[in-house]
Structure formats: C-alpha cells, structure tokens
Amino acid sequence: MILPLPEKFDENELFIIFSTVITWALMFILPRRLSAVTITVIWTFNVFLALLADITIGVKPYELYFTIDHKTHELFDVLLHFVTYPTLSYFVVSCYQYYKPKGLKHLFFLIFWAGVAIVIEWISVKFNVFTYTGWKLYLSFIVYLVVFAATIWLTKFTEKKHPYKRPSTG
C-alpha cells in the first residue's frame, strides 16, 4: 500500500519539513552522547508510542485528535511519526546524559522538557499538524512527563549493555 500524497500542500507539511530539517541538523551538529544501539532503541520506542496513540485514542471510538489534513494517514504522517517526532526524545536523553540530574533536579529536568514539548505541540497545532477533537494540551504535558521518564529509564538500561564509546582522537 502506497500512502497518498497530501490533498493540498500547505502550512502543516511546511512545518513538518522545516522542523525535520532543523532537528536533524541539530542532531548532527551537537556532540553525540549515545550509542548507536541506544539511539535505535529510543527511536523505535518513541515511534511505537506515537503509533500506539494514533491507533488507540486517535481513532474510533475516541477520535480525540487527528494529524495533518484528515483522519486517514498520508505520506507526511509517516514522516512525522518515524522521522520528526522521535528527535525530541533524542535531545531529552542526550541532555540527560550530559547533565545527569539527580533527585529534585531530575524532576525539574522532566518538567522542563515536557514544557518544551508542549510549546512545540502548541505551535504544531497552530500550523494544523494536529487537530484536537477532544484532546487537551494539558493531557499532552502529563503524557510527555511519562514518556520522557520512560525513555530516560530505557536509555539507562540500554547504555548498561551498550555504552557510548567516545571516538578516539589521535
């Protein structure tokens, strides 16, 4: 099955293209702190979560939201789920690896990144990437707290078996 192209190319497709280019550029510019295995695991985990949300609360009987231009998937939905969305969790765990917050700082770290995610989601709603039909932005904040905490835990678990090894310079 080939996914259809957008019915019309407008602000939501432009937003996805722009945010994908920016986040991928940042991924390659900023220093890497995660092993290839960890990146693959957290990427797959976050793609799974995005798709799970779409097939549970994004369809009947709930239909709390839909993405892009309509309730069926198109090519830009695939780009959003598989290429754009997981980059935020990549940045969360990369920053976590750098700062290694403990205790209350860990909680503030999660709250900060959930806030960043909410701002990005709010902007994406303004660009019609998401259309809420019952979903509320504050619910996303709670979801992001859980998702980022789970992603950090998964990163710690994975990095124990497959730690990142800095490339040797010389």
Side-chain angles (χ1 to χ4, degrees):
M1 174 179 102
I2 296 176
L3 290 171
L5 293 173
E7 293 172 2
K8 60 182 179 169
F9 194 86
D10 54 18
E11 71 271 0
N12 48 37
E13 287 84 11
L14 288 172
F15 179 83
I16 291 170
I17 291 169
F18 178 76
S19 58
T20 301
V21 168
I22 295 295
T23 56
W24 276 74
L26 284 172
M27 281 183 5
F28 287 102
I29 292 169
L30 296 173
R32 192 170 114 195
R33 293 184 172 81
L34 303 167
S35 69
V37 171
T38 301
I39 293 169
T40 303
V41 167
I42 63 169
W43 204 273
T44 304
F45 177 65
N46 280 272
V47 167
F48 167 77
L49 291 177
L51 293 173
L52 182 64
D54 279 1
I55 64 170
T56 55
I57 62 173
V59 297
K60 287 182 181 180
Y62 305 109
E63 292 184 320
L64 298 178
Y65 69 91
F66 61 90
T67 56
I68 319 295
D69 293 318
H70 42 76
K71 294 178 184 178
T72 60
H73 281 81
E74 64 177 50
L75 181 62
F76 275 83
D77 285 287
V78 172
L79 182 65
L80 179 66
H81 288 90
F82 287 84
V83 181
T84 312
Y85 174 73
T87 58
L88 185 58
S89 287
Y90 171 84
F91 291 122
V92 170
V93 295
S94 188
C95 285
Y96 183 86
Q97 292 295 87
Y98 181 75
Y99 292 109
K100 298 187 185 317
K102 303 278 188 233
L104 204 51
K105 288 181 180 179
H106 179 80
L107 177 62
F108 289 136
F109 181 87
L110 289 173
I111 291 169
F112 169 79
W113 279 104
V116 169
I118 286 300
V119 169
I120 294 168
E121 186 171 325
W122 178 79
I123 294 168
S124 67
V125 168
K126 297 298 178 193
F127 280 89
N128 298 312
V129 174
F130 298 105
T131 301
Y132 296 158
T133 57
W135 189 255
K136 304 292 182 207
L137 199 56
Y138 71 86
L139 295 171
S140 291
F141 183 79
I142 296 165
V143 169
Y144 287 126
L145 287 173
V146 172
V147 167
F148 294 154
T151 303
I152 289 168
W153 177 86
L154 187 58
T155 299
K156 287 179 180 179
F157 179 80
T158 307
E159 287 283 313
K160 283 180 186 173
K161 298 265 187 210
H162 304 279
Y164 174 66
K165 294 176 181 87
R166 296 192 190 283
S168 58
T169 57

